[in-house]
Amino acid sequence: MTASEIAYLMIGAAAGGFINGLAGFGTALFALGFFLSIMPALEAVAITVIISVVSGIQGLWIVRKAMLQNPKRLARFLVPAVFGIPLGVVSLQQIDVSMLKILIAFFLILYGGFFSLRRTLPQIDRPTPMIDCTVGFCAGILGGAASLSGALPTMWCSMRAWPRYETRAVLQPFNVAVLGLTAIMLIWAGAYHRQTLIYAGIALPTALVAAQLGIVVFRRLKDETFRRLLIGVCFLSGAILLLRELL
């Protein structure tokens, strides 16, 4: 492994870990581009999933109280997603995944751009159990089909007038669970061989430290600032996803 490869690996791990610690999601969109520059796609995804899950577990600790206070809210997203993931995997043979990613990227850019320019944010504070379940189910399908399970929950949660800890108590465990299932599938597919574990051994410490820095920043944010951060990350995620698919 060359010095430049190690540098790409550590920069990607730092970027992915920091955004996970700050927002509770987004590791793949910020780290995968660096990893793909130095390793095959399967290995890059495998490393990204490990970083997402392990750094995400760190984030679970800071929202544990919010998770325990309202476990039904998380379940409304997560349980339908579990049923949606296999449907997404099956649909891979019937859909153009690249076009699906471009469509989602445009949607993220339009959503993030529109609400970033508005002075006031949407204030949806009434219970919406059916919409929550629908968002979770569709997110599971997108996760299985295109590894985009976080897009819809992030957009929907940023429209809710929830305190930042309650918002993160949905997004963080949702992403950890979905990506944990993905990791199991990758283990079954033989993605974690000797070289992958070497990459992981280098990337994980960097990602964990960066995630802690992200958590420090998260603790200092106000609730509305965190909601605007989610919207901004939606826009940036859409731009990165679009460029990756078009270039």
Side-chain angles (χ1 to χ4, degrees):
M1 190 182 302
T2 66
S4 61
E5 289 176 338
I6 294 175
Y8 269 100
L9 187 61
M10 294 184 70
I11 292 171
F18 180 79
I19 196 64
N20 195 303
L22 177 62
F25 70 101
T27 305
L29 287 167
F30 286 82
L32 197 55
F34 292 98
F35 296 162
L36 287 171
S37 300
I38 60 172
M39 66 184 81
L42 183 61
E43 291 181 7
V45 171
I47 298 299
T48 303
V49 168
I50 290 178
I51 291 175
S52 300
V53 172
V54 176
S55 57
I57 290 173
Q58 286 189 126
L60 290 179
W61 178 253
I62 68 171
V63 294
R64 63 193 184 281
K65 293 182 180 179
M67 288 170 57
L68 294 174
Q69 287 174 354
N70 202 340
K72 292 183 179 179
R73 178 186 291 168
L74 172 60
R76 289 200 298 267
F77 288 88
L78 187 54
V79 174
V82 172
F83 291 96
I85 291 171
L87 293 178
V89 174
V90 171
S91 70
L92 281 172
Q93 297 179 352
Q94 282 78 40
I95 63 173
D96 185 332
V97 175
S98 181
M99 288 303 300
L100 177 62
K101 288 183 177 182
I102 291 173
L103 179 63
I104 296 298
F106 272 117
F107 194 41
L108 284 166
I109 291 170
L110 289 173
Y111 172 86
F114 176 73
F115 283 111
S116 294
L117 295 174
R118 291 189 59 177
R119 288 190 175 183
T120 58
L121 296 176
Q123 297 287 329
I124 302 174
D125 51 10
R126 65 185 185 279
T128 55
M130 291 303 298
I131 298 178
D132 295 347
C133 289
T134 302
V135 168
F137 180 71
C138 293
I141 294 175
L142 287 176
S147 301
L148 293 173
S149 57
L152 291 180
T154 301
M155 286 188 281
W156 177 237
C157 288
S158 64
M159 297 178 68
R160 305 305 306 267
W162 295 337
R164 68 189 188 282
Y165 280 93
E166 292 186 23
T167 301
R168 187 167 181 146
V170 171
L171 293 177
Q172 189 96 64
F174 181 87
N175 283 300
V176 168
V178 171
L179 292 171
L181 291 174
T182 304
I184 293 172
M185 295 179 187
L186 289 172
I187 292 172
W188 184 264
Y192 295 102
H193 49 75
R194 180 177 178 275
Q195 187 63 44
T196 311
L197 295 178
I198 292 174
Y199 284 136
I202 297 172
L204 267 178
T206 303
L208 292 176
V209 172
Q212 285 297 320
L213 294 175
I215 289 172
V216 170
V217 177
F218 167 79
R219 291 180 185 276
R220 296 175 179 272
L221 296 177
K222 296 180 180 180
D223 290 337
E224 183 171 344
T225 304
F226 181 68
R227 292 178 67 203
R228 290 196 176 277
L229 170 70
L230 292 182
I231 291 169
V233 171
C234 282
F235 178 83
L236 187 57
S237 299
I240 293 173
L241 181 60
L242 182 61
L243 288 173
R244 187 179 296 158
E245 290 302 310
L246 293 180
L247 296 180

